[in-house]
Amino acid sequence: MPDAMFAHPRLAPLYDAFESDRADLTAYVEIADEFGAARVLDVGCGTGSLAILLEETGRTVVGTDPAEASLAVARSKDSSARIVWVRCDATILPTIAADLAVMTGNVAQVFRTDEEWTRVLLSVRAALRPGTHFAFETRKPERRAWERWPGTTSVEIPGEGRVERTDELTDVSPPLISFRSTYRFADGDELTSESTLRFRTREEIETSLAEAGFEIVEVREAPDRPDEEHVFITRRAD
């Protein structure tokens, strides 16, 4: 089940405001350009920011996500109405013969067990044409990003007023890191979202990709977060 911050109808519309710096998305549009991808699958598309950028370049785009509340936000932003939005789990993706599959926002870390991660990789592989590409990012565990997560921020939200979010760690047992986000609204309402992420090493990811039928083309640094994340560029083996 998706976390409340993506699935709750009052929380999902807050995502874009709290995560307003999406400099990470430009790199994925450039990857689509690099490989001449005309048909792109955005896995875990969330509120649709990347899918919309890709569609604006003239590509055919399918965005998938298990959280209907996030997809509702994505549809509301899709002025072209040409993007296909599909509610589904990443382990059962539509087989659309894509030229490129992308997974941004560290979605890869949501899949906690090796078995689930393998199912996701096999599902992505089935959605691609032979010889085409899959690009995704994941945080480097040695950088211990979770140590910088706790804190409180607030944002002015149209129609809501000022909303405050407090993030706190609830369990640090690497490779699993759990945290709680508490949202406090101007009307006094308070909602929480619990999350757990898996921090895999580069070696673990490379092994899982090979076993699922992917060849690694390159492992890059995230241009907006150098030395913090790996961006894996892979190819579906024939």
Side-chain angles (χ1 to χ4, degrees), residues 130-192:
T132 56
H133 297 85
F134 172 38
F136 66 96
E137 66 197 39
T138 185
R139 298 178 184 90
K140 298 179 181 180
E142 64 270 21
R143 300 300 296 167
R144 301 177 66 85
W146 60 84
E147 294 179 346
R148 300 185 292 279
W149 291 350
T152 298
T153 57
S154 64
V155 177
E156 191 72 24
I157 307 291
E160 288 282 13
R162 185 154 291 276
V163 180
E164 180 183 271
R165 184 185 75 188
T166 298
D167 297 316
E168 56 186 323
L169 298 174
T170 55
D171 187 64
V172 178
S173 302
L176 297 179
I177 306 297
S178 299
F179 61 99
R180 178 186 300 114
S181 297
T182 302
Y183 296 81
R184 299 177 182 88
F185 294 82
D187 63 5
D189 196 11
E190 184 173 295
L191 297 172
T192 61

Side-chain angles (χ1 to χ4, degrees), residues 18-236:
F18 276 97
E19 307 296 335
S20 58
D21 181 8
R22 297 309 309 271
D24 58 309
L25 301 183
T26 301
Y28 287 90
V29 177
E30 292 172 351
I31 289 168
D33 291 340
E34 180 180 346
F35 295 115
R39 187 173 181 83
V40 183
L41 175 65
D42 185 359
V43 182
C45 65
T47 58
S49 296
L50 176 58
I52 289 168
L53 286 177
L54 289 165
E55 191 280 329
E56 289 174 345
T57 64
R59 294 177 166 90
T60 298
V61 181
V62 176
T64 71
D65 201 279
E68 179 56 37
S70 291
L71 288 175
V73 176
R75 293 188 191 101
S76 73
K77 293 157 54 178
D78 179 16
S79 59
S80 73
R82 287 193 292 265
I83 300 172
V84 177
W85 305 103
V86 180
R87 182 183 181 186
C88 68
D89 186 275
T91 63
I92 48 171
L93 297 168
T95 52
I96 61 169
D99 302 313
L100 172 69
V102 294
M103 187 186 291
T104 61
N106 293 291
V107 168
Q109 294 185 245
V110 168
F111 310 107
R112 305 174 196 174
T113 68
D114 292 337
E115 293 76 15
E116 186 180 23
W117 175 234
T118 296
R119 293 201 305 273
V120 169
L121 292 177
L122 293 174
S123 183
V124 171
R125 188 180 188 280
L128 291 168
R129 294 188 298 106
T132 56
H133 297 85
F134 172 38
F136 66 96
E137 66 197 39
T138 185
R139 298 178 184 90
K140 298 179 181 180
E142 64 270 21
R143 300 300 296 167
R144 301 177 66 85
W146 60 84
E147 294 179 346
R148 300 185 292 279
W149 291 350
T152 298
T153 57
S154 64
V155 177
E156 191 72 24
I157 307 291
E160 288 282 13
R162 185 154 291 276
V163 180
E164 180 183 271
R165 184 185 75 188
T166 298
D167 297 316
E168 56 186 323
L169 298 174
T170 55
D171 187 64
V172 178
S173 302
L176 297 179
I177 306 297
S178 299
F179 61 99
R180 178 186 300 114
S181 297
T182 302
Y183 296 81
R184 299 177 182 88
F185 294 82
D187 63 5
D189 196 11
E190 184 173 295
L191 297 172
T192 61
S193 179
E194 305 276 350
S195 303
T196 298
L197 301 179
R198 170 82 178 266
F199 282 71
R200 291 180 173 84
T201 65
R202 174 172 174 170
E203 292 72 23
E204 288 175 315
I205 294 171
E206 289 178 344
T207 297
S208 66
L209 286 166
E211 291 174 348
F214 287 95
E215 301 168 348
I216 295 176
V217 176
E218 187 179 355
V219 181
R220 303 175 180 175
E221 295 286 339
D224 61 311
R225 284 161 291 198
D227 201 36
E228 293 291 331
E229 300 181 4
H230 287 125
V231 178
F232 287 84
I233 312 295
T234 74
R235 180 189 299 112
R236 175 186 156 166

